Amino acid sequence: MIKPFTPNDLVRYIYQEMSEGETELLVQALHRDELLMEEYLELLSTMQHLDQAMISPSESVVKSILKKAKSTGLEKV
């Protein structure tokens, strides 16, 4: 019986969180199943883009937080 792999399994594989046995089975499944391979490549691309994304708060949010911190005395912490 072939184990059905889930998107969560693919994420675990990408982040190298699988045992050697699981990894071997997944690699074999990727070679056999074109849809699974497409899903893997899509997840890999998405995760690489997320890793590269630089997210920062807007200046107005930072100012608002600093203003609130000043009014409560938290800026000294």
PDB file of all heavy atoms in Angstrom, residues 32-68:
ATOM      1  N   ARG A  32       6.992   9.253  -8.848  1.00  0.00           N
ATOM      2  CA  ARG A  32       5.874   8.533  -9.466  1.00  0.00           C
ATOM      3  C   ARG A  32       4.654   9.410  -9.735  1.00  0.00           C
ATOM      4  O   ARG A  32       3.917   9.172 -10.678  1.00  0.00           O
ATOM      5  CB  ARG A  32       5.413   7.383  -8.555  1.00  0.00           C
ATOM      6  CG  ARG A  32       6.291   6.176  -8.543  1.00  0.00           C
ATOM      7  CD  ARG A  32       5.618   5.026  -7.815  1.00  0.00           C
ATOM      8  NE  ARG A  32       5.020   5.416  -6.544  1.00  0.00           N
ATOM      9  CZ  ARG A  32       5.611   5.346  -5.356  1.00  0.00           C
ATOM     10  NH1 ARG A  32       6.827   4.887  -5.272  1.00  0.00           N
ATOM     11  NH2 ARG A  32       4.999   5.717  -4.270  1.00  0.00           N
ATOM     12  N   ASP A  33       4.424  10.403  -8.877  1.00  0.00           N
ATOM     13  CA  ASP A  33       3.170  11.156  -8.903  1.00  0.00           C
ATOM     14  C   ASP A  33       3.406  12.593  -9.376  1.00  0.00           C
ATOM     15  O   ASP A  33       3.918  13.431  -8.641  1.00  0.00           O
ATOM     16  CB  ASP A  33       2.571  11.145  -7.488  1.00  0.00           C
ATOM     17  CG  ASP A  33       1.200  11.759  -7.411  1.00  0.00           C
ATOM     18  OD1 ASP A  33       0.817  12.558  -8.291  1.00  0.00           O
ATOM     19  OD2 ASP A  33       0.493  11.445  -6.428  1.00  0.00           O
ATOM     20  N   GLU A  34       2.994  12.863 -10.596  1.00  0.00           N
ATOM     21  CA  GLU A  34       3.220  14.183 -11.188  1.00  0.00           C
ATOM     22  C   GLU A  34       2.474  15.283 -10.425  1.00  0.00           C
ATOM     23  O   GLU A  34       3.000  16.386 -10.236  1.00  0.00           O
ATOM     24  CB  GLU A  34       2.766  14.173 -12.644  1.00  0.00           C
ATOM     25  CG  GLU A  34       3.137  15.426 -13.399  1.00  0.00           C
ATOM     26  CD  GLU A  34       2.786  15.339 -14.871  1.00  0.00           C
ATOM     27  OE1 GLU A  34       2.905  14.248 -15.449  1.00  0.00           O
ATOM     28  OE2 GLU A  34       2.402  16.385 -15.420  1.00  0.00           O
ATOM     29  N   LEU A  35       1.273  15.006  -9.964  1.00  0.00           N
ATOM     30  CA  LEU A  35       0.504  16.010  -9.217  1.00  0.00           C
ATOM     31  C   LEU A  35       1.156  16.335  -7.882  1.00  0.00           C
ATOM     32  O   LEU A  35       1.187  17.492  -7.460  1.00  0.00           O
ATOM     33  CB  LEU A  35      -0.938  15.546  -9.003  1.00  0.00           C
ATOM     34  CG  LEU A  35      -1.794  15.470 -10.265  1.00  0.00           C
ATOM     35  CD1 LEU A  35      -3.169  14.882  -9.942  1.00  0.00           C
ATOM     36  CD2 LEU A  35      -1.933  16.830 -10.912  1.00  0.00           C
ATOM     37  N   LEU A  36       1.676  15.305  -7.230  1.00  0.00           N
ATOM     38  CA  LEU A  36       2.381  15.521  -5.961  1.00  0.00           C
ATOM     39  C   LEU A  36       3.630  16.369  -6.199  1.00  0.00           C
ATOM     40  O   LEU A  36       3.925  17.285  -5.422  1.00  0.00           O
ATOM     41  CB  LEU A  36       2.752  14.189  -5.315  1.00  0.00           C
ATOM     42  CG  LEU A  36       3.397  14.254  -3.936  1.00  0.00           C
ATOM     43  CD1 LEU A  36       2.434  14.851  -2.910  1.00  0.00           C
ATOM     44  CD2 LEU A  36       3.854  12.867  -3.491  1.00  0.00           C
ATOM     45  N   MET A  37       4.346  16.096  -7.294  1.00  0.00           N
ATOM     46  CA  MET A  37       5.540  16.873  -7.625  1.00  0.00           C
ATOM     47  C   MET A  37       5.173  18.326  -7.902  1.00  0.00           C
ATOM     48  O   MET A  37       5.857  19.243  -7.441  1.00  0.00           O
ATOM     49  CB  MET A  37       6.251  16.273  -8.837  1.00  0.00           C
ATOM     50  CG  MET A  37       7.470  17.063  -9.278  1.00  0.00           C
ATOM     51  SD  MET A  37       8.786  17.186  -8.036  1.00  0.00           S
ATOM     52  CE  MET A  37       9.665  15.676  -8.347  1.00  0.00           C
ATOM     53  N   GLU A  38       4.091  18.565  -8.620  1.00  0.00           N
ATOM     54  CA  GLU A  38       3.649  19.932  -8.889  1.00  0.00           C
ATOM     55  C   GLU A  38       3.301  20.652  -7.596  1.00  0.00           C
ATOM     56  O   GLU A  38       3.652  21.819  -7.408  1.00  0.00           O
ATOM     57  CB  GLU A  38       2.443  19.930  -9.827  1.00  0.00           C
ATOM     58  CG  GLU A  38       2.779  19.586 -11.251  1.00  0.00           C
ATOM     59  CD  GLU A  38       1.557  19.501 -12.150  1.00  0.00           C
ATOM     60  OE1 GLU A  38       0.489  20.034 -11.788  1.00  0.00           O
ATOM     61  OE2 GLU A  38       1.685  18.892 -13.231  1.00  0.00           O
ATOM     62  N   GLU A  39       2.613  19.954  -6.689  1.00  0.00           N
ATOM     63  CA  GLU A  39       2.258  20.553  -5.398  1.00  0.00           C
ATOM     64  C   GLU A  39       3.517  20.866  -4.595  1.00  0.00           C
ATOM     65  O   GLU A  39       3.628  21.929  -3.973  1.00  0.00           O
ATOM     66  CB  GLU A  39       1.344  19.609  -4.620  1.00  0.00           C
ATOM     67  CG  GLU A  39       0.755  20.221  -3.391  1.00  0.00           C
ATOM     68  CD  GLU A  39      -0.298  19.339  -2.744  1.00  0.00           C
ATOM     69  OE1 GLU A  39      -0.549  18.215  -3.215  1.00  0.00           O
ATOM     70  OE2 GLU A  39      -0.871  19.793  -1.738  1.00  0.00           O
ATOM     71  N   TYR A  40       4.484  19.960  -4.623  1.00  0.00           N
ATOM     72  CA  TYR A  40       5.756  20.173  -3.934  1.00  0.00           C
ATOM     73  C   TYR A  40       6.475  21.410  -4.478  1.00  0.00           C
ATOM     74  O   TYR A  40       6.922  22.266  -3.713  1.00  0.00           O
ATOM     75  CB  TYR A  40       6.641  18.928  -4.072  1.00  0.00           C
ATOM     76  CG  TYR A  40       8.092  19.172  -3.751  1.00  0.00           C
ATOM     77  CD1 TYR A  40       8.503  19.430  -2.442  1.00  0.00           C
ATOM     78  CD2 TYR A  40       9.058  19.172  -4.753  1.00  0.00           C
ATOM     79  CE1 TYR A  40       9.837  19.670  -2.148  1.00  0.00           C
ATOM     80  CE2 TYR A  40      10.387  19.409  -4.461  1.00  0.00           C
ATOM     81  CZ  TYR A  40      10.773  19.658  -3.161  1.00  0.00           C
ATOM     82  OH  TYR A  40      12.090  19.902  -2.871  1.00  0.00           O
ATOM     83  N   LEU A  41       6.576  21.513  -5.805  1.00  0.00           N
ATOM     84  CA  LEU A  41       7.271  22.644  -6.416  1.00  0.00           C
ATOM     85  C   LEU A  41       6.559  23.961  -6.114  1.00  0.00           C
ATOM     86  O   LEU A  41       7.202  24.982  -5.863  1.00  0.00           O
ATOM     87  CB  LEU A  41       7.408  22.429  -7.923  1.00  0.00           C
ATOM     88  CG  LEU A  41       8.332  21.284  -8.334  1.00  0.00           C
ATOM     89  CD1 LEU A  41       8.268  21.058  -9.839  1.00  0.00           C
ATOM     90  CD2 LEU A  41       9.757  21.529  -7.869  1.00  0.00           C
ATOM     91  N   GLU A  42       5.226  23.930  -6.100  1.00  0.00           N
ATOM     92  CA  GLU A  42       4.468  25.134  -5.767  1.00  0.00           C
ATOM     93  C   GLU A  42       4.691  25.549  -4.317  1.00  0.00           C
ATOM     94  O   GLU A  42       4.914  26.725  -4.021  1.00  0.00           O
ATOM     95  CB  GLU A  42       2.982  24.895  -6.022  1.00  0.00           C
ATOM     96  CG  GLU A  42       2.133  26.131  -5.876  1.00  0.00           C
ATOM     97  CD  GLU A  42       0.677  25.881  -6.229  1.00  0.00           C
ATOM     98  OE1 GLU A  42       0.411  25.150  -7.189  1.00  0.00           O
ATOM     99  OE2 GLU A  42      -0.191  26.425  -5.513  1.00  0.00           O
ATOM    100  N   LEU A  43       4.657  24.588  -3.402  1.00  0.00           N
ATOM    101  CA  LEU A  43       4.915  24.881  -1.986  1.00  0.00           C
ATOM    102  C   LEU A  43       6.343  25.395  -1.786  1.00  0.00           C
ATOM    103  O   LEU A  43       6.565  26.348  -1.040  1.00  0.00           O
ATOM    104  CB  LEU A  43       4.711  23.630  -1.136  1.00  0.00           C
ATOM    105  CG  LEU A  43       3.329  23.363  -0.609  1.00  0.00           C
ATOM    106  CD1 LEU A  43       3.267  21.986   0.036  1.00  0.00           C
ATOM    107  CD2 LEU A  43       2.900  24.424   0.371  1.00  0.00           C
ATOM    108  N   LEU A  44       7.285  24.766  -2.459  1.00  0.00           N
ATOM    109  CA  LEU A  44       8.680  25.177  -2.333  1.00  0.00           C
ATOM    110  C   LEU A  44       8.850  26.617  -2.795  1.00  0.00           C
ATOM    111  O   LEU A  44       9.481  27.432  -2.107  1.00  0.00           O
ATOM    112  CB  LEU A  44       9.574  24.243  -3.153  1.00  0.00           C
ATOM    113  CG  LEU A  44      11.074  24.461  -3.063  1.00  0.00           C
ATOM    114  CD1 LEU A  44      11.572  24.270  -1.636  1.00  0.00           C
ATOM    115  CD2 LEU A  44      11.792  23.517  -4.003  1.00  0.00           C
ATOM    116  N   SER A  45       8.255  26.962  -3.910  1.00  0.00           N
ATOM    117  CA  SER A  45       8.339  28.323  -4.427  1.00  0.00           C
ATOM    118  C   SER A  45       7.685  29.319  -3.468  1.00  0.00           C
ATOM    119  O   SER A  45       8.252  30.376  -3.173  1.00  0.00           O
ATOM    120  CB  SER A  45       7.663  28.390  -5.797  1.00  0.00           C
ATOM    121  OG  SER A  45       7.625  29.715  -6.261  1.00  0.00           O
ATOM    122  N   THR A  46       6.512  28.977  -2.981  1.00  0.00           N
ATOM    123  CA  THR A  46       5.797  29.856  -2.051  1.00  0.00           C
ATOM    124  C   THR A  46       6.605  30.082  -0.779  1.00  0.00           C
ATOM    125  O   THR A  46       6.737  31.213  -0.310  1.00  0.00           O
ATOM    126  CB  THR A  46       4.422  29.265  -1.697  1.00  0.00           C
ATOM    127  OG1 THR A  46       3.672  29.117  -2.904  1.00  0.00           O
ATOM    128  CG2 THR A  46       3.672  30.128  -0.713  1.00  0.00           C
ATOM    129  N   MET A  47       7.163  29.015  -0.235  1.00  0.00           N
ATOM    130  CA  MET A  47       7.919  29.127   1.009  1.00  0.00           C
ATOM    131  C   MET A  47       9.199  29.939   0.798  1.00  0.00           C
ATOM    132  O   MET A  47       9.598  30.703   1.674  1.00  0.00           O
ATOM    133  CB  MET A  47       8.204  27.744   1.580  1.00  0.00           C
ATOM    134  CG  MET A  47       6.911  27.065   2.032  1.00  0.00           C
ATOM    135  SD  MET A  47       7.123  25.351   2.467  1.00  0.00           S
ATOM    136  CE  MET A  47       7.632  25.556   4.157  1.00  0.00           C
ATOM    137  N   GLN A  48       9.824  29.802  -0.360  1.00  0.00           N
ATOM    138  CA  GLN A  48      11.021  30.594  -0.639  1.00  0.00           C
ATOM    139  C   GLN A  48      10.663  32.081  -0.735  1.00  0.00           C
ATOM    140  O   GLN A  48      11.402  32.929  -0.250  1.00  0.00           O
ATOM    141  CB  GLN A  48      11.693  30.114  -1.926  1.00  0.00           C
ATOM    142  CG  GLN A  48      12.383  28.792  -1.748  1.00  0.00           C
ATOM    143  CD  GLN A  48      12.887  28.194  -3.058  1.00  0.00           C
ATOM    144  OE1 GLN A  48      12.409  28.521  -4.137  1.00  0.00           O
ATOM    145  NE2 GLN A  48      13.841  27.289  -2.948  1.00  0.00           N
ATOM    146  N   HIS A  49       9.519  32.391  -1.344  1.00  0.00           N
ATOM    147  CA  HIS A  49       9.084  33.785  -1.425  1.00  0.00           C
ATOM    148  C   HIS A  49       8.761  34.341  -0.041  1.00  0.00           C
ATOM    149  O   HIS A  49       9.074  35.487   0.271  1.00  0.00           O
ATOM    150  CB  HIS A  49       7.873  33.919  -2.353  1.00  0.00           C
ATOM    151  CG  HIS A  49       8.219  33.865  -3.804  1.00  0.00           C
ATOM    152  ND1 HIS A  49       8.191  32.693  -4.520  1.00  0.00           N
ATOM    153  CD2 HIS A  49       8.630  34.835  -4.648  1.00  0.00           C
ATOM    154  CE1 HIS A  49       8.563  32.948  -5.756  1.00  0.00           C
ATOM    155  NE2 HIS A  49       8.832  34.238  -5.868  1.00  0.00           N
ATOM    156  N   LEU A  50       8.124  33.536   0.786  1.00  0.00           N
ATOM    157  CA  LEU A  50       7.808  33.981   2.146  1.00  0.00           C
ATOM    158  C   LEU A  50       9.079  34.227   2.957  1.00  0.00           C
ATOM    159  O   LEU A  50       9.151  35.184   3.727  1.00  0.00           O
ATOM    160  CB  LEU A  50       6.929  32.954   2.862  1.00  0.00           C
ATOM    161  CG  LEU A  50       5.486  32.887   2.411  1.00  0.00           C
ATOM    162  CD1 LEU A  50       4.785  31.702   3.062  1.00  0.00           C
ATOM    163  CD2 LEU A  50       4.758  34.182   2.731  1.00  0.00           C
ATOM    164  N   ASP A  51      10.070  33.357   2.776  1.00  0.00           N
ATOM    165  CA  ASP A  51      11.333  33.523   3.501  1.00  0.00           C
ATOM    166  C   ASP A  51      12.039  34.818   3.093  1.00  0.00           C
ATOM    167  O   ASP A  51      12.760  35.418   3.878  1.00  0.00           O
ATOM    168  CB  ASP A  51      12.262  32.335   3.260  1.00  0.00           C
ATOM    169  CG  ASP A  51      11.804  31.071   3.976  1.00  0.00           C
ATOM    170  OD1 ASP A  51      10.977  31.180   4.907  1.00  0.00           O
ATOM    171  OD2 ASP A  51      12.272  29.980   3.601  1.00  0.00           O
ATOM    172  N   GLN A  52      11.836  35.248   1.849  1.00  0.00           N
ATOM    173  CA  GLN A  52      12.494  36.446   1.349  1.00  0.00           C
ATOM    174  C   GLN A  52      11.729  37.724   1.674  1.00  0.00           C
ATOM    175  O   GLN A  52      12.284  38.815   1.585  1.00  0.00           O
ATOM    176  CB  GLN A  52      12.674  36.353  -0.167  1.00  0.00           C
ATOM    177  CG  GLN A  52      13.628  35.266  -0.576  1.00  0.00           C
ATOM    178  CD  GLN A  52      13.660  35.049  -2.082  1.00  0.00           C
ATOM    179  OE1 GLN A  52      12.921  35.681  -2.816  1.00  0.00           O
ATOM    180  NE2 GLN A  52      14.509  34.147  -2.526  1.00  0.00           N
ATOM    181  N   ALA A  53      10.470  37.579   2.007  1.00  0.00           N
ATOM    182  CA  ALA A  53       9.634  38.764   2.242  1.00  0.00           C
ATOM    183  C   ALA A  53      10.118  39.518   3.477  1.00  0.00           C
ATOM    184  O   ALA A  53      10.366  38.942   4.527  1.00  0.00           O
ATOM    185  CB  ALA A  53       8.178  38.357   2.430  1.00  0.00           C
ATOM    186  N   MET A  54      10.236  40.808   3.319  1.00  0.00           N
ATOM    187  CA  MET A  54      10.609  41.664   4.442  1.00  0.00           C
ATOM    188  C   MET A  54       9.354  42.443   4.824  1.00  0.00           C
ATOM    189  O   MET A  54       8.879  43.269   4.043  1.00  0.00           O
ATOM    190  CB  MET A  54      11.715  42.635   4.035  1.00  0.00           C
ATOM    191  CG  MET A  54      13.008  41.982   3.623  1.00  0.00           C
ATOM    192  SD  MET A  54      14.154  41.740   4.966  1.00  0.00           S
ATOM    193  CE  MET A  54      14.373  43.371   5.585  1.00  0.00           C
ATOM    194  N   ILE A  55       8.844  42.150   5.969  1.00  0.00           N
ATOM    195  CA  ILE A  55       7.622  42.817   6.416  1.00  0.00           C
ATOM    196  C   ILE A  55       7.971  43.737   7.572  1.00  0.00           C
ATOM    197  O   ILE A  55       8.590  43.326   8.548  1.00  0.00           O
ATOM    198  CB  ILE A  55       6.565  41.782   6.830  1.00  0.00           C
ATOM    199  CG1 ILE A  55       6.246  40.885   5.638  1.00  0.00           C
ATOM    200  CG2 ILE A  55       5.322  42.456   7.357  1.00  0.00           C
ATOM    201  CD1 ILE A  55       5.324  39.742   5.950  1.00  0.00           C
ATOM    202  N   SER A  56       7.589  44.992   7.438  1.00  0.00           N
ATOM    203  CA  SER A  56       7.815  45.956   8.509  1.00  0.00           C
ATOM    204  C   SER A  56       6.549  46.771   8.708  1.00  0.00           C
ATOM    205  O   SER A  56       5.796  46.990   7.774  1.00  0.00           O
ATOM    206  CB  SER A  56       8.938  46.919   8.203  1.00  0.00           C
ATOM    207  OG  SER A  56       9.735  46.554   7.170  1.00  0.00           O
ATOM    208  N   PRO A  57       6.343  47.215   9.924  1.00  0.00           N
ATOM    209  CA  PRO A  57       5.166  48.054  10.177  1.00  0.00           C
ATOM    210  C   PRO A  57       5.335  49.417   9.510  1.00  0.00           C
ATOM    211  O   PRO A  57       6.452  49.889   9.311  1.00  0.00           O
ATOM    212  CB  PRO A  57       5.139  48.184  11.701  1.00  0.00           C
ATOM    213  CG  PRO A  57       6.550  47.964  12.114  1.00  0.00           C
ATOM    214  CD  PRO A  57       7.149  47.011  11.113  1.00  0.00           C
ATOM    215  N   SER A  58       4.220  50.029   9.193  1.00  0.00           N
ATOM    216  CA  SER A  58       4.282  51.371   8.596  1.00  0.00           C
ATOM    217  C   SER A  58       4.772  52.372   9.646  1.00  0.00           C
ATOM    218  O   SER A  58       4.725  52.125  10.854  1.00  0.00           O
ATOM    219  CB  SER A  58       2.904  51.784   8.094  1.00  0.00           C
ATOM    220  OG  SER A  58       2.030  51.975   9.189  1.00  0.00           O
ATOM    221  N   GLU A  59       5.229  53.517   9.171  1.00  0.00           N
ATOM    222  CA  GLU A  59       5.729  54.557  10.071  1.00  0.00           C
ATOM    223  C   GLU A  59       4.635  55.027  11.021  1.00  0.00           C
ATOM    224  O   GLU A  59       4.888  55.285  12.198  1.00  0.00           O
ATOM    225  CB  GLU A  59       6.267  55.733   9.258  1.00  0.00           C
ATOM    226  CG  GLU A  59       6.975  56.760  10.109  1.00  0.00           C
ATOM    227  CD  GLU A  59       7.596  57.867   9.280  1.00  0.00           C
ATOM    228  OE1 GLU A  59       7.967  57.624   8.135  1.00  0.00           O
ATOM    229  OE2 GLU A  59       7.717  58.981   9.821  1.00  0.00           O
ATOM    230  N   SER A  60       3.392  55.086  10.529  1.00  0.00           N
ATOM    231  CA  SER A  60       2.300  55.548  11.385  1.00  0.00           C
ATOM    232  C   SER A  60       2.035  54.561  12.526  1.00  0.00           C
ATOM    233  O   SER A  60       1.722  54.974  13.648  1.00  0.00           O
ATOM    234  CB  SER A  60       1.023  55.777  10.571  1.00  0.00           C
ATOM    235  OG  SER A  60       0.552  54.568  10.019  1.00  0.00           O
ATOM    236  N   VAL A  61       2.196  53.286  12.262  1.00  0.00           N
ATOM    237  CA  VAL A  61       2.006  52.281  13.317  1.00  0.00           C
ATOM    238  C   VAL A  61       3.113  52.414  14.360  1.00  0.00           C
ATOM    239  O   VAL A  61       2.845  52.381  15.570  1.00  0.00           O
ATOM    240  CB  VAL A  61       1.973  50.855  12.716  1.00  0.00           C
ATOM    241  CG1 VAL A  61       2.051  49.802  13.799  1.00  0.00           C
ATOM    242  CG2 VAL A  61       0.717  50.657  11.879  1.00  0.00           C
ATOM    243  N   VAL A  62       4.351  52.576  13.917  1.00  0.00           N
ATOM    244  CA  VAL A  62       5.475  52.728  14.846  1.00  0.00           C
ATOM    245  C   VAL A  62       5.271  53.967  15.710  1.00  0.00           C
ATOM    246  O   VAL A  62       5.450  53.924  16.941  1.00  0.00           O
ATOM    247  CB  VAL A  62       6.817  52.800  14.087  1.00  0.00           C
ATOM    248  CG1 VAL A  62       7.954  53.150  15.032  1.00  0.00           C
ATOM    249  CG2 VAL A  62       7.097  51.484  13.374  1.00  0.00           C
ATOM    250  N   LYS A  63       4.876  55.077  15.082  1.00  0.00           N
ATOM    251  CA  LYS A  63       4.639  56.312  15.844  1.00  0.00           C
ATOM    252  C   LYS A  63       3.516  56.128  16.857  1.00  0.00           C
ATOM    253  O   LYS A  63       3.611  56.615  17.987  1.00  0.00           O
ATOM    254  CB  LYS A  63       4.312  57.468  14.896  1.00  0.00           C
ATOM    255  CG  LYS A  63       5.514  57.990  14.158  1.00  0.00           C
ATOM    256  CD  LYS A  63       5.140  59.147  13.251  1.00  0.00           C
ATOM    257  CE  LYS A  63       6.364  59.676  12.529  1.00  0.00           C
ATOM    258  NZ  LYS A  63       6.042  60.799  11.649  1.00  0.00           N
ATOM    259  N   SER A  64       2.476  55.438  16.461  1.00  0.00           N
ATOM    260  CA  SER A  64       1.357  55.196  17.359  1.00  0.00           C
ATOM    261  C   SER A  64       1.788  54.359  18.570  1.00  0.00           C
ATOM    262  O   SER A  64       1.413  54.652  19.709  1.00  0.00           O
ATOM    263  CB  SER A  64       0.232  54.486  16.601  1.00  0.00           C
ATOM    264  OG  SER A  64      -0.854  54.229  17.434  1.00  0.00           O
ATOM    265  N   ILE A  65       2.598  53.349  18.325  1.00  0.00           N
ATOM    266  CA  ILE A  65       3.092  52.501  19.421  1.00  0.00           C
ATOM    267  C   ILE A  65       3.991  53.311  20.348  1.00  0.00           C
ATOM    268  O   ILE A  65       3.877  53.215  21.581  1.00  0.00           O
ATOM    269  CB  ILE A  65       3.829  51.269  18.862  1.00  0.00           C
ATOM    270  CG1 ILE A  65       2.830  50.327  18.183  1.00  0.00           C
ATOM    271  CG2 ILE A  65       4.604  50.540  19.964  1.00  0.00           C
ATOM    272  CD1 ILE A  65       3.463  49.202  17.393  1.00  0.00           C
ATOM    273  N   LEU A  66       4.890  54.104  19.775  1.00  0.00           N
ATOM    274  CA  LEU A  66       5.781  54.930  20.599  1.00  0.00           C
ATOM    275  C   LEU A  66       4.993  55.950  21.420  1.00  0.00           C
ATOM    276  O   LEU A  66       5.311  56.188  22.592  1.00  0.00           O
ATOM    277  CB  LEU A  66       6.820  55.628  19.722  1.00  0.00           C
ATOM    278  CG  LEU A  66       7.871  54.708  19.100  1.00  0.00           C
ATOM    279  CD1 LEU A  66       8.735  55.481  18.111  1.00  0.00           C
ATOM    280  CD2 LEU A  66       8.715  54.041  20.166  1.00  0.00           C
ATOM    281  N   LYS A  67       3.968  56.538  20.814  1.00  0.00           N
ATOM    282  CA  LYS A  67       3.127  57.499  21.534  1.00  0.00           C
ATOM    283  C   LYS A  67       2.421  56.832  22.717  1.00  0.00           C
ATOM    284  O   LYS A  67       2.399  57.358  23.820  1.00  0.00           O
ATOM    285  CB  LYS A  67       2.100  58.105  20.572  1.00  0.00           C
ATOM    286  CG  LYS A  67       1.217  59.147  21.192  1.00  0.00           C
ATOM    287  CD  LYS A  67       0.254  59.706  20.161  1.00  0.00           C
ATOM    288  CE  LYS A  67      -0.701  60.712  20.797  1.00  0.00           C
ATOM    289  NZ  LYS A  67      -1.680  61.208  19.829  1.00  0.00           N
ATOM    290  N   LYS A  68       1.885  55.642  22.473  1.00  0.00           N
ATOM    291  CA  LYS A  68       1.204  54.901  23.530  1.00  0.00           C
ATOM    292  C   LYS A  68       2.209  54.524  24.638  1.00  0.00           C
ATOM    293  O   LYS A  68       1.897  54.631  25.824  1.00  0.00           O
ATOM    294  CB  LYS A  68       0.533  53.651  22.960  1.00  0.00           C
ATOM    295  CG  LYS A  68      -0.224  52.839  23.958  1.00  0.00           C
ATOM    296  CD  LYS A  68      -1.449  53.574  24.456  1.00  0.00           C
ATOM    297  CE  LYS A  68      -2.278  52.676  25.345  1.00  0.00           C
ATOM    298  NZ  LYS A  68      -3.427  53.356  25.907  1.00  0.00           N
TER     299      LYS A  68
END
